[in-house]
Amino acid sequence: EDKVVQSPLSLVVHEGDTVTLNCSYEVTNFRSLLWYKQEKKAPTFLFMLTSSGIEKKSGRLSSILDKKELFSILNITATQTGDSAIYLCAVRNTGGFKTIFGAGTRLFVKA
Amino acid sequence: GAGVSQSPSNKVTEKGKDVELRCDPISGHTALYWYRQSLGQGLEFLIYFQGNSAPDKSGLPSDRFSAERTGGSVSTLTIQRTQQEDSAVYLCASSLTLGTDTQYFGPGTRLTVL
């Protein structure tokens, strides 16, 4: 059965800290891995990863994929209170078009 | 429109009633997806549309759930004879095509079944 597991489930840090969020997956015919940020209701797209070892970067956020070990990490440096959110990892396979989401990591950044 | 819109934003209903949830995708997006997010859980995939067609309905939790899409645009998710376990946020997303991996989400409908 295809699945996506995220860890930790929740995390509390102080402003300025660096955090690493983990996502491991098992999926047949992997196509892509996506990271989303969910602050209220609507998840917003962060990154899409399809190739191993190529880091995607956007400001203080970066992500990388390891297709051999079947995981991805999302790094956030110099965290700010506005980074507080649920971070969702999702995997898509070829053929079928289901997108399988993990349960998310709830990040809380204290001022 | 500028983004995906959903209505209503909140819906409270009594057990046994039918509800309809609506999704307006981004204009020009041919693919549309429905998800359910229960409290503290990740997103559970329900169904996707390519145009007006839904090739795979296996993600729908039960035969009380149905969805349709007309004119390649608006989609309606219908839940018949609602149960308390149906309480969740129902999220809709759209993408340019089915082959486009980036999905844009609407604000969701929070359904509460009393």
Side-chain angles (χ1 to χ4, degrees), chain B residues 74-85:
Chain B
V74 172
S75 177
T76 303
L77 178 69
T78 302
I79 309 172
Q80 295 178 307
R81 304 181 303 282
T82 51
Q83 303 293 312
Q84 287 183 333
E85 61 262 28

Side-chain angles (χ1 to χ4, degrees), chain A residues 31-32 34 36 38 41-43 45 48 88 92 97-99 101-103, chain B residues 9 33 35 37 42-43 45 56 58 98-103 105-107:
Chain A
R31 175 189 171 100
S32 61
L34 303 103
Y36 286 87
Q38 186 176 28
K41 283 186 184 176
F45 172 78
M48 183 178 77
L88 295 166
R92 216 168 182 217
F97 292 97
K98 293 181 180 180
T99 305
F101 279 81
Chain B
S9 56
Y33 313 81
Y35 297 88
Q37 188 173 32
L43 274 67
F45 173 84
D56 182 359
S58 63
L98 205 56
T100 309
D101 291 336
T102 306
Q103 297 174 22
F105 282 82

